[in-house]
Amino acid sequence: MSLQDRTQAVPRAAAPPQKDGKLGLALLVIAAAQLMLVLDNTIVAVALPSMQSALGLSEAGLGWVVTAYALAFGGLLLAGGRAGDLFGRRLVFRIGLVIFTAASLLGGLATTGELLIAARLLQGLGAAIAAPTALSLLATTFPAGPARNKALGVYGAMGGLGSVVGLLLGGALTEYLNWRWVMFVNIPIALAVLVGTGVLVEGGRERGKVDVPGAFAATFGFGALVYGITRAGEEGLDDTTTLISLGVALVLLVAFVAIQRTARAPMIPGGVLADKGRVGANVVMFLVGAGMLATFYFLTLYMQLVKGYDPMITGVAYLPYAVGMLLAAGGIGPQLLARLSERTVISVGLTIGILGMVWFSLLAPDQNPWVALLPAQLVSGLGLGMVFVAVTIISVRGVAPQETGAASGLVNTAQQIGGAIGLAALAAAATVITQNESEPTTSDALTTGYSYGFLLGGALYLLALLTALLTAPKSAPQPQQDGAQPPVAL
């Protein structure tokens, strides 16, 4: 029996059509929220050395400043999307923004490393509640057809662009103010988004409950997996703690699958995974997220530890990546999607992304940044921007209205969990390669580790390309007539 058969949507009056001005404001609100939530994955990256110095963080603790947010965000996204479907998307969106704002204030005022990590976990919780409901609100606010597709393209681009903007902004704030402002900067943005939520259309609700056991198993299962991978890079696969952590992860993730198969109201309704293209889109997002976050990590370390760039220069050096993303999202991606199939657009984007990773692998300690670092970023941004736009459209199209929160939560989960696992795995591999060099502390040894990390990230993009070729829709989307409405929400 499907979820639709077991639950009944709460009837609501149809939302009045939005004027173009209000649609523009609604898109600004949703895009700003997504940008803010995603950029928090990377905004702290450039500030990590300053945080370590100010709070006395260990190397392991420093890694958890990044990982804690990604884990809480990714592990609870499905529950957040489900909560929006049940209790009202706009209400849940506002609650998530309030939690995120409070956590940002707490992190900015933190006096110990433990308090900062706790604040990052709380930020991830707020983001997990707000992000999937933002995408659901986009579906209920924008009419089906070109307007919604354009809005989805902008939203999808924010997923990749946010990571780059975080690096740019983090560098500027750390250089000219101090590391605390990478937390404080969220407060005015979140408050402005909160004020603008009145233009969003609520949509219907579903009767049911949140899958608490499923949320627990997913969050702690992925947490144990990331910890085990990180520990393996430091202590080896034969370490007792590593093996226990990986074993716990396996048990919890298997339990999560079992819970989803038997729960009356699962976090991932059966209808969301019924479409092969949608499943493939989420796998692609997972693999791209894994490679991309690790890429930012390696590039930041290369620029600061090998090239000796200060935080501001490091942030500015990411500008080509942001330009590539904007070009892909604002023009190239939507134009290609109007003429070609999503499979073709994703394949072209990933091929360009793979070429970018190979280009990154050519970096050397004395490398002229104009030869490899900057042009490779522009190329990678163009490719991945196209991928994000197309994958987002596939992942939420054709979903039943009462399941939009779960579908949007799943695609965000794929990106965040992919980033956390990819960063842990590729960073561990790069560390092992560096340590096997004859002089592991030299710039040459560090760059060798990063170069292999880039190539491994390119291998993840290659797996994503193969997945897209096997699962993404073959034909180009059919243009809809004016006023035509599809039978489902997306």
Side-chain angles (χ1 to χ4, degrees):
M1 184 181 293
S2 68
L3 181 63
Q4 294 97 312
D5 297 327
R6 294 192 298 265
T7 57
Q8 181 180 2
V10 178
R12 294 173 64 90
Q18 297 280 71
K19 296 181 180 179
D20 290 343
K22 286 192 174 181
L23 285 178
L25 181 57
L27 180 57
L28 178 62
V29 169
I30 293 173
Q34 174 70 351
L35 184 69
M36 177 187 68
L37 298 174
V38 174
L39 69 81
D40 241 60
N41 265 328
T42 55
I43 195 171
V44 302
V46 180
L48 287 175
S50 299
M51 292 176 172
Q52 185 175 34
S53 175
L55 302 179
L57 283 160
S58 65
E59 291 296 327
L62 198 62
W64 278 101
V65 173
V66 177
T67 305
Y69 179 81
L71 278 177
F73 192 180
L76 294 170
L77 268 165
L78 293 173
R82 180 70 177 153
D85 292 339
L86 298 176
F87 307 123
R89 298 176 180 92
R90 190 163 56 186
L91 172 63
V92 172
F93 182 53
R94 288 168 172 168
I95 292 173
L97 289 173
V98 170
I99 294 174
F100 187 85
T101 304
S104 297
L105 178 62
L106 177 65
L109 298 174
T111 55
T112 65
E114 291 76 13
L115 187 57
L116 177 61
I117 293 172
R120 292 287 286 166
L121 281 168
L122 192 59
Q123 271 189 319
L125 169 62
I129 295 172
T133 48
L135 185 51
S136 295
L137 285 166
L138 184 152
T140 58
T141 300
F142 288 82
R148 185 180 295 170
N149 287 340
K150 180 180 178 181
L152 283 169
V154 173
Y155 180 92
M158 293 302 104
L161 184 61
S163 298
V164 184
V165 172
L167 294 162
L168 287 165
L169 191 58
L173 292 173
T174 304
E175 179 77 12
Y176 294 115
L177 296 173
N178 60 55
W179 69 265
R180 296 184 184 277
W181 281 93
V182 303
M183 307 293 287
F184 289 146
V185 71
N186 294 316
I187 298 173
I189 301 174
L191 292 177
V193 171
L194 196 59
V195 171
T197 56
V199 300
L200 304 177
V201 176
E202 175 64 71
R205 299 184 189 180
E206 182 188 348
R207 299 187 189 278
K209 61 181 181 178
V210 177
D211 179 17
V212 176
F216 176 90
T219 302
F220 287 95
F222 284 122
L225 178 60
V226 170
Y227 179 78
I229 293 173
T230 303
R231 177 89 180 183
E234 298 172 350
E235 305 295 337
L237 280 173
D238 57 349
D239 175 67
T240 302
T241 303
T242 298
L243 295 175
I244 291 175
S245 181
L246 294 175
V248 169
L250 178 63
V251 171
L252 288 174
L253 293 177
V254 169
F256 172 71
V257 174
I259 290 169
Q260 297 311 290
R261 294 175 63 89
T262 59
R264 296 185 60 187
M267 291 169 60
I268 308 177
V272 173
L273 297 178
D275 180 72
K276 181 180 72 171
R278 195 176 304 123
V279 173
N282 280 279
V283 174
V284 169
M285 186 66 89
F286 175 90
L287 293 169
V288 170
M292 190 176 71
L293 190 59
T295 299
F296 294 148
Y297 178 78
F298 293 136
L299 286 177
T300 299
L301 294 181
Y302 169 79
M303 286 189 276
Q304 293 201 6
L305 299 183
V306 176
K307 302 295 289 185
Y309 296 165
D310 59 32
M312 182 61 194
I313 296 299
T314 301
V316 171
Y318 278 107
L319 190 58
Y321 220 122
V323 171
M325 284 279 185
L326 284 172
L327 290 174
I332 297 173
Q335 288 179 13
L336 289 177
L337 285 169
R339 297 171 175 80
L340 304 173
S341 69
E342 287 123 349
R343 173 186 293 186
T344 302
V345 174
I346 293 173
S347 299
V348 171
L350 285 171
T351 300
I352 295 173
I354 292 169
L355 292 175
M357 295 298 264
V358 174
W359 205 339
F360 282 135
S361 73
L362 301 178
L363 291 172
D366 57 351
Q367 183 78 63
N368 185 324
W370 294 101
V371 174
L373 179 62
L374 301 181
Q377 288 191 65
L378 179 62
V379 168
S380 296
L382 281 169
L384 296 186
M386 293 163 56
V387 174
F388 275 108
V389 171
V391 165
T392 301
I393 291 174
I394 297 174
S395 64
V396 294
R397 183 180 55 212
V399 179
Q402 66 269 27
E403 295 177 351
T404 55
S408 58
L410 184 60
V411 69
N412 279 286
T413 295
Q415 181 186 352
Q416 299 303 321
I417 294 299
I421 293 175
L423 175 58
L426 298 189
T431 298
V432 170
I433 291 169
T434 297
Q435 290 175 346
N436 286 334
E437 292 290 299
S438 57
E439 298 182 49
T441 59
T442 64
S443 296
D444 285 328
L446 291 172
T447 305
T448 298
Y450 304 151
S451 296
Y452 279 99
F454 291 130
L455 291 176
L456 290 173
L460 294 178
Y461 291 170
L462 179 59
L463 287 177
L465 174 59
L466 295 175
T467 301
L469 291 173
L470 292 173
T471 62
K474 297 180 181 179
S475 57
Q478 296 297 317
Q480 294 189 21
Q481 298 177 354
D482 294 340
Q485 297 292 330
V488 293
L490 285 171

